[in-house]
Amino acid sequence: MEKDGVSKSARVLWKLSCFFRKFIVSTLSVGPIPAHVAFIMDGNRRYAKQRNLEEGEGHNAGYLALKFMVYYCLELGIKHVTAYAFSIDNFKRSPEGVQRIMDLMVEKIEEELSQVDNTYSKMGIRIHFSGNLELLSQPTKDAVKRLMAATAKNSKVLLTICFAYTSTNEIVHAIEQTCQEKMADQMELEEPNVVKLADIEKHMYMAVAPDPDIIIRTSGESRLSNFLLWQSANCSLICFSQLWPAISFWHLLWAVLKFQRNYYYFEKKKKQI
Ligand code: FPP
C-alpha cells in the first residue's frame, strides 16, 4: 500500500536503516566528530549520461543526494555542512546548462518556502548562500534571500550553499572590503591602520562557519577547484570514485572514521602554526 507515493516496504527499509545508523552514530560519538564537512558535488551530468537521462535529471538526483547527506550529518551531530553548488566558472557553460541549474535552484527554494517539501525547515536546518550573489539574476537573488530569511532562526545545522562562488573571488572581495574599511577608519587615526589576518577573515563569504575539517569530493577527482582554498590549510581532502548522486551514508562514515584516526595529528599541527 502506498502513502505519499512511498511503498510500505520502502518505509520499513528506511526505518531499519535509521535504526542501524543510530547504532553506528552512537558508537562513532565516542570519538571526536567533525564540526564542519564540505562537499564538492562532482559528477551529476556523468551520472545522467550513464543512465541515458536528461542532464537536468542528474542535477535533480544530485539535489536529493545532498538532502540525504545533510540528514546524515544531522544524525552524526555535524553542525556545519557546506556544498559547492555552482562556481563562478560554471557561468562559462552553455546558457541552457546554466539556466537549468538556476531553474532547479529557484524551484527547490520555492518548494521549501511553500512547504510542499520543506524538509530542511522541518529538520531545523538554517540555509545560507555564500558567494558573489550579485552575479545572479534578480528572481534568483530574491529567492535565495527569502530562503535565508525563512530559515535564519533554525540552529541544528548550518547548510552553506556556495553559489556563484570561487575562493579567489572570495579572497579579492574580502581584501577590497578590508581596504575600504581601513581607509575609512584611517581618517581618525595617527598610526598606520595595519591590515591583520582577522580583518580579512571577517569579510570572507565563509565567515559564517568554522574552517572545514573534511572536504569530500566525488567522481574520482582530487582537485580543490577553487573551493575553500583559504579555509582548507588544516583539512583532509577525501575523494571517492562514485559520482555525486551515488554518494551514501557509508562514504560519510568512512570520511568520519578517517578524521577520527588523524584527529590528534591535525590538532598537534594546528598548535604548531
Ligand atoms: C558539478 O557536477 C556540479 C555542479 C555544477 C552543480 C551541482 C548541483 C547540484 C547537485 C544541485 C544542487 C542544487 C541546489 C539547488 C543546491 P556537474 O554537474 O558539472 O557534472 P559533471 O562533473 O559530471 O560534469
Side-chain angles (χ1 to χ4, degrees):
M1 208 185 10
E2 288 207 357
K3 199 179 155 201
D4 299 335
V6 184
S7 69
K8 195 177 172 193
S9 53
R11 277 170 194 280
V12 172
L13 217 65
W14 174 250
K15 283 215 166 123
L16 270 174
S17 72
C18 284
F19 176 75
F20 191 52
R21 283 198 311 275
K22 259 193 186 150
F23 171 73
I24 293 176
V25 166
S26 61
T27 314
L28 271 189
S29 303
V30 176
I33 294 292
H36 184 180
V37 180
F39 297 95
I40 303 178
M41 308 185 287
D42 209 11
N44 303 283
R45 292 184 299 183
R46 275 167 280 172
Y47 178 88
K49 208 167 172 188
Q50 278 180 1
R51 285 164 179 75
N52 286 325
L53 300 169
E54 298 273 332
E55 203 173 291
E57 288 305 310
H59 288 120
N60 253 319
Y63 177 77
L64 197 63
L66 174 63
K67 222 168 200 182
F68 274 104
M69 196 45 79
V70 174
Y71 184 67
Y72 301 145
C73 287
L74 172 75
E75 286 185 322
L76 269 166
I78 297 166
K79 295 294 250 177
H80 298 269
V81 179
T82 297
Y84 200 9
F86 196 81
S87 107
I88 293 178
D89 297 331
N90 291 148
F91 280 112
K92 293 181 199 145
R93 289 184 176 187
S94 71
E96 307 80 57
V98 172
Q99 197 54 46
R100 212 175 293 120
I101 296 185
M102 294 294 156
D103 291 347
L104 174 71
M105 172 67 86
V106 174
E107 179 195 316
K108 296 301 172 193
I109 291 177
E110 294 301 342
E111 274 180 17
E112 186 70 35
L113 287 169
S114 67
Q115 319 211 331
V116 173
D117 182 11
N118 61 337
T119 351
Y120 281 124
S121 302
K122 278 189 195 144
M123 289 195 276
I125 312 285
R126 177 181 158 208
I127 302 181
H128 182 81
F129 287 82
S130 274
N132 189 349
L133 302 183
E134 287 310 312
L135 298 176
L136 304 179
S137 68
Q138 198 56 46
T140 313
K141 224 181 327 187
D142 291 344
V144 155
K145 283 185 183 158
R146 278 192 292 138
L147 186 62
M148 287 200 279
T151 59
K153 291 207 172 87
N154 298 342
S155 58
K156 287 208 171 138
V157 171
L158 171 65
L159 168 62
T160 304
I161 297 180
C162 290
F163 210 76
Y165 173 94
T166 55
S167 265
T168 39
N169 177 265
E170 175 186 37
I171 295 166
V172 170
H173 170 264
I175 292 173
E176 273 171 7
Q177 297 282 306
T178 310
C179 291
Q180 279 172 20
E181 192 181 78
K182 290 278 164 186
M183 267 149 57
D185 292 350
Q186 183 67 73
M187 317 280 184
E188 294 144 30
L189 297 171
E190 281 169 19
E191 300 285 304
N193 203 0
V194 179
V195 172
K196 294 184 211 72
L197 186 63
D199 298 322
I200 299 177
E201 293 198 322
K202 187 175 77 183
H203 291 293
M204 289 280 178
Y205 293 133
M206 286 304 296
V208 285
D211 289 350
D213 300 297
I214 307 172
I215 295 180
I216 294 178
R217 180 163 190 160
T218 50
S219 89
E221 306 282 350
S222 49
R223 292 169 288 122
L224 278 175
S225 297
N226 218 340
F227 180 55
L228 307 186
L229 301 183
W230 184 281
Q231 297 84 356
S232 54
N234 287 300
C235 148
S236 321
L237 173 64
I238 300 181
C239 304
F240 295 111
S241 58
Q242 277 75 15
L243 304 175
W244 171 256
I247 195 160
S248 69
F249 175 71
W250 302 109
H251 297 101
L252 181 66
L253 178 66
W254 172 254
V256 173
L257 282 171
K258 218 169 161 190
F259 165 82
Q260 293 192 332
R261 209 180 56 193
N262 297 329
Y263 180 75
Y264 294 103
Y265 170 77
F266 272 110
E267 284 305 292
K268 214 166 103 187
K269 274 253 158 234
K270 277 185 205 167
K271 283 181 196 135
Q272 281 166 3
I273 289 169

